[in-house]
Amino acid sequence: QVQLLESGGGVVQAGESLRLACTVSGRTFSRDAMGWFRQAPGKEREFVGTITRPGSTFYANSVKGRFTISRDNDKKTVYLQMSSLNPEDTAVYFCAAKATILTAPVYTGVDDFSAWGQGTQVTVSS
């Protein structure tokens, strides 16, 4: 059974940092590109960033320079380190997985990813 389990969400003040983790089971994590998405109330789910199988990262402009994605294939876990958080970052954050080849392009669309976690709430107060 494929499972993606996010953790690390919470309530922080503007300017603070938070690290999310997503642990994957039931699939070959090392063959997955991993993505982070978020969805604020009343808005569509949006791309935050992604990490490819070789470890290359790509970010949405809104988080570039503040957020960092990393992965630990031994732990089957992908991380989202968020710093300089602001109230506009408040959302439910989701991780997602897509099986890819090593030379695959960067995937940023919601429909590109086939497996999803249940999400974790991040609230940034001003």
Side-chain angles (χ1 to χ4, degrees):
Q1 180 181 357
V2 175
Q3 187 174 18
L4 285 70
L5 185 62
E6 301 99 337
S7 61
V11 180
V12 297
Q13 293 189 336
E16 294 185 340
S17 299
L18 203 60
R19 190 178 80 155
L20 306 183
C22 171
T23 301
V24 179
S25 59
R27 56 188 294 134
T28 307
F29 178 78
S30 60
R31 296 182 181 176
D32 284 335
M34 298 298 298
W36 283 99
F37 293 77
R38 66 187 181 185
Q39 188 166 17
K43 295 187 177 181
E44 293 188 352
R45 192 168 299 188
E46 67 173 4
F47 171 77
V48 173
T50 186
I51 186 165
T52 66
R53 281 181 58 180
S56 299
T57 54
F58 183 79
Y59 301 95
N61 287 335
S62 59
V63 306
K64 196 175 298 182
R66 300 188 298 121
F67 290 12
T68 302
I69 297 174
S70 60
R71 65 188 298 160
D72 185 331
N73 287 348
D74 291 335
K75 294 182 178 180
K76 297 186 176 181
T77 300
V78 61
Y79 302 96
L80 179 65
Q81 177 67 49
M82 306 182 291
S83 61
S84 301
L85 286 161
N86 59 64
E88 290 69 39
D89 296 316
T90 295
V92 177
Y93 283 72
F94 300 88
C95 67
K98 176 180 174 61
T100 68
I101 59 175
L102 268 178
T103 56
V106 173
Y107 296 100
T108 63
V110 171
D111 293 340
D112 290 330
F113 291 83
S114 57
W116 291 83
Q118 84 291 344
T120 185
Q121 176 70 46
V122 172
T123 302
V124 184
S125 61
S126 58

